Structures are given as C-alpha cells and as structure tokens.
Amino acid sequence: MKKADIGRLKYGIEGLNTFNSTPEFGTTRVLFTDEEVAGRQFIKKIMSDNGLEITEDSIGNIFATLKGSDSSLPPVWTGSHIDTVLNAGMFDGMAGVVGGIEALRLIKESGIPHRRDISAVVYTSEEPTRFGLSCLGSRALSGKLSLDDTKNLIDKDGKSLYEVLNSLGYDLSKFGDIPKKSGDVFAAVELHIEQGPKLEQHGKKIGIVKTICAPTNYEVSVYGVQSHAGGTSMGDRHDAYCAACEIALTLEKLARKNTNSDYTTATVGRVNVIPNAMNVIPGQVDFTIDIRDTDYQSKNILFDTLAKSFADIEQKRGVKIEYKKLNEDMPIKCDAAFTEIIEGYCKNNSVPYEYLISGAYHDSMMVGLFAPVAMIFVPSKNGISHSPEEWTDFEDLATGVDLLAEALLEISNK
C-alpha cells in the first residue's frame, strides 16, 4: 500500500483551519456557526473528490463511505470531529477526520479487496463549547441523546439544539433512525493527537490507547454572606470564595491520593464569583467540577467522599453548599483484538510505540457503547492541546495514517 501524502494532509488541515472565527488567536470553530458549516462543506468536498459516498444523519454526523465487496456486513468506521473549543489549535479532531479520509484513499488506490464498507465519519460537536454537553453526534448514535433532549440543550443566545438543527434543514422526523445497536458497526478506529506529553517524552511515534477516561461533571454553588471587605472582621465572615477554595483543594487532594484506579483527574474549571468586586466579600460562588477516571466506580467514590466533606465546611465557615450532576459517562476499554492488530503493524514496521491511557474523552467513548473501538495516538509537541500552541508534525501524522489504513484494511476483511 502507498504511504500517506503529507501534502494532502496539510491541504485538509490547513484548509479547514481557514474556517475560523478567531484567526488572530488560535482556532475557533463552534458547532453550526458560519465557520463550522463552511468547514463541513470543505470536508465534504474532499470526501467527494476522493470518490467516497456521502450521507448525513439528522444531527449532522457525516459519513463518507468506501464500499466493500459485501455491504450487507456491518461496516468499519474511522473519524473524529471538526468543531473546537475557543481559541484552540488546528489538529484536535481534525487530524482524525483528514487522516481518516486519506486512509480510505490509500485503501482505495491500493486495489486490495476488502469485504466490509469502511466509512470516514465527522461526528457532530465532540466539544461541549456551544451547548454544554460533549459528543452530541456520537451520543445520539449511542442512543444517549434523544430528540426531546435536543429541546433542552440551550446555547448562550437562548437557542435550543432542536431549533438550530431545524433552521439548518435537518430532517428531525428521522432523528429516531440515528441510534445504532450492538452489531450494527463491526469496529471503529479513531486516529487522534495525544494531547499529552508521553509520546514525545519517550521518543515514541505511536500511542495505542488502552482505556478512554470518561467525565462526570457537577455544578456547585456556595452561598455565604456578601459584606464589606474592611468592615467585616475575619471572625465574622461567611466567605463563599474561601469555602469554594477549600472544596477545590479537598478535591485535588482526593484525586492525587486515589489508588482505586490507574488514572484519575479532577478539575475545578469554570468559576463565577459574585459580586466579583475588590472590596466585597463574595456572597456566592458557582463553579464546575470535572472528574475523569478509567474506572466508573472509582469516579463515583471520589465525589461521594468529597461530598461528605461539605457538611464540615458548611459548619466551619457558615455557608451553604448545593450541587447537581450535569452528566456522567462510562469509561471505555479499547478492544484487545483490534489493538493487537495495531501493535502488530508497529512491530512489523519498526515503529516505536507504547500503550497509553487517554485522559481526554473522545467520540470513541460513546461509539464504544455499541461497537468495539480502538484508538491510535500521534505525538503532540510539548504535550499541548486546546491551545493556539497545539502542534503535531505532519510526518508523525502521516505515520499514524499509514498505520490506520493498514488496520482498517485488515479489520474490514475480518
């Protein structure tokens, strides 16, 4: 089989990067904005130019299919997403989409027969940037996002996902056709940048993912007493911000000491301090908690332990703490048989590799609820992602695409 064409990879990724609402600072391409819709058209043109059959479902997942000799068999998928967080880089997600299309081109031009259809997929909105919930397209495919749910997902302008889909002409009467059941898809292999430093630090070209961590997210509110910064003595304070800080530090301590799983992270992300004035003791703080783990039970135990500390903090600081769970996803283990295929290619071609845990979630986390999945990582410079500084050498990406093409071809003949 031919090797990946670096020029084609650059054209796809750099071309997609021109559809960007913040060209002065990184890449911003938010779901169903003008830039994202134009990016979709750009990708579909590349798919069409490569002779792939294009379909799109009612939530906007795009499928570009290379037909096999027996389309009655469950297909093989690859792909990722093209939406971004605010002021991001140009590789997260896009590497898997452009690389997936290139892998299908290599298979097609090789002339080697394959039985199953192979599709390059653009999953709708892996990032939670617009509607506050991640993996919208793959979540709908897994049956975890209903049409009614789309009516309750509201963006900052007050528009629901339902309204946006309808305004763009998606046929919502067919929304019920989106979900897949076990057996509908034979396998899915996602190519992605690592978004961490391990491959670069260890001099490896390929990461083979063992487990994809899944997030559980909470919204927490701390209610104290807003009062004058000078007029209120230290002993008379009910400072909501200091209580929130104590919660954050307790969370960090619990995550660092968690020995119940292979990998745990805990993050206080968005913070809103009220009234956020220099000379006023905060009366309310709202913040989010993101807990990720390779083990579902471990994740729940960690938060339950944190929640038990709330009563002591309330009593000690004279505050009230409330919280609600926003979402809870299941960690996914990658399929052993398919990761062995990837490992075999690395060994046979002397490609340095190692097994990794993905602390970041991906669409494969949701796809794994109805199909066996595998993931291939390529290095991220300095481990940086979700930043304008995000970078992956195109030569490294090409190595990942070569591996992806070989794996897809072998799996499609299973």
Side-chain angles (χ1 to χ4, degrees):
M1 193 183 301
K2 292 181 180 178
K3 300 297 185 182
D5 186 322
I6 290 177
R8 288 175 181 267
L9 296 175
K10 283 185 176 181
Y11 172 78
I13 289 177
E14 293 176 352
L16 189 55
N17 198 51
T18 63
F19 305 103
N20 174 12
S21 64
T22 59
E24 73 286 351
F25 183 56
T27 302
T28 301
R29 190 166 44 254
V30 177
L31 174 66
F32 294 143
T33 57
D34 290 345
E35 292 80 12
E36 202 259 1
V37 171
R40 287 168 169 267
Q41 296 305 315
F42 175 76
I43 286 296
K44 285 193 274 191
K45 178 66 164 54
I46 295 177
M47 291 170 165
S48 178
D49 288 347
N50 281 284
L52 304 175
E53 295 186 15
I54 303 170
T55 58
E56 196 165 355
D57 66 20
S58 294
I59 200 169
N61 293 312
I62 303 168
F63 301 84
T65 301
L66 178 65
K67 290 290 186 178
S69 60
D70 188 355
S71 293
S72 68
L73 295 171
V76 177
W77 287 1
T78 187
S80 197
H81 61 99
I82 66 167
D83 67 303
T84 73
V85 297
L86 305 180
N87 307 112
M90 67 176 178
F91 291 92
D92 173 16
M94 287 67 79
V97 170
V98 174
I101 297 169
E102 176 66 0
L104 265 60
R105 183 188 73 84
L106 295 177
I107 294 170
K108 180 182 179 182
E109 294 188 0
S110 74
I112 301 171
H114 59 97
R115 298 170 62 212
R116 300 177 186 275
D117 291 353
I118 312 173
S119 293
V121 186
V122 179
Y123 298 104
T124 293
S125 193
E126 190 257 10
E127 306 292 0
T129 311
R130 181 166 185 179
F131 289 101
L133 182 65
S134 63
C135 302
L136 296 181
S138 55
R139 198 176 291 272
L141 286 163
S142 72
K144 299 297 184 182
L145 182 74
S146 68
L147 186 60
D148 282 345
D149 291 333
T150 68
K151 298 175 182 178
N152 298 319
L153 293 173
I154 311 297
D155 68 11
K156 62 180 178 60
D157 297 319
K159 293 182 179 179
S160 70
L161 175 57
Y162 181 93
E163 291 171 324
V164 173
L165 289 167
N166 194 51
S167 70
L168 291 171
Y170 287 100
D171 187 352
L172 298 182
S173 70
K174 295 182 178 179
F175 201 92
D177 297 337
I178 297 174
K180 304 295 182 183
K181 62 182 184 299
S182 180
D184 285 348
V185 177
F186 183 69
V189 185
E190 183 173 359
L191 174 67
H192 208 281
I193 63 171
E194 182 192 354
Q195 299 180 283
K198 295 292 191 296
L199 293 177
E200 186 178 61
Q201 289 174 350
H202 301 163
K204 308 296 185 183
K205 293 295 184 184
I206 292 293
I208 304 174
V209 177
K210 297 186 294 184
T211 307
I212 304 168
C213 291
T216 295
N217 299 111
Y218 290 87
E219 192 170 67
V220 182
S221 294
V222 181
Y223 302 96
V225 177
Q226 181 178 323
S227 59
H228 195 285
T232 309
S233 70
M234 298 305 292
D236 292 331
R237 296 180 178 220
H238 305 282
D239 189 326
Y241 178 71
C242 287
C245 290
E246 188 166 348
I247 294 170
L249 290 171
T250 302
L251 175 66
E252 180 188 46
K253 182 178 180 180
L254 290 171
R256 287 184 181 276
K257 290 187 174 182
N258 186 16
T259 59
N260 296 316
S261 77
D262 295 328
Y263 189 91
T264 305
T265 61
T267 305
V268 170
R270 186 178 69 244
V271 179
N272 183 33
V273 179
I274 300 171
N276 201 26
M278 181 182 293
N279 60 344
V280 181
I281 298 166
Q284 180 177 339
V285 177
D286 303 316
F287 61 94
T288 58
I289 288 176
D290 179 304
I291 302 173
R292 305 189 189 195
D293 208 303
T294 56
D295 183 83
Y296 179 79
Q297 185 177 8
S298 169
K299 189 168 55 166
N300 289 331
I301 290 172
L302 192 152
F303 185 80
D304 289 345
T305 305
L306 175 70
K308 288 176 181 177
S309 72
F310 290 173
D312 288 340
I313 295 172
E314 286 178 323
Q315 183 176 12
K316 180 173 64 175
R317 295 188 174 274
V319 299
K320 181 176 177 57
I321 301 168
E322 296 180 353
Y323 63 91
K324 65 177 179 179
K325 186 185 294 182
L326 301 178
N327 74 284
E328 183 175 49
D329 292 320
M330 184 73 67
I332 291 293
K333 292 188 181 300
C334 290
D335 184 86
F338 298 139
T339 56
E340 285 174 7
I341 289 173
I342 297 168
E343 182 178 26
Y345 176 86
C346 291
K347 288 180 176 179
N348 292 337
N349 292 272
S350 301
V351 178
Y353 73 94
E354 66 177 297
Y355 276 89
L356 294 173
I357 289 169
S358 177
Y361 59 76
H362 306 280
D363 287 301
S364 292
M365 176 186 70
M366 302 307 302
V367 175
L369 296 176
F370 60 85
V373 298
M375 285 198 72
I376 299 167
F377 278 173
V378 291
S380 295
K381 185 178 180 181
N382 297 323
I384 294 173
S385 182
H386 282 192
S387 161
E389 300 300 316
E390 176 183 277
W391 183 261
T392 289
D393 288 340
F394 282 98
E395 292 79 6
D396 288 339
L397 179 56
T399 298
V401 173
D402 292 340
L403 170 54
L404 176 66
E406 295 282 357
L408 291 174
L409 181 59
E410 183 170 343
I411 293 169
S412 69
N413 279 312
K414 293 288 184 183

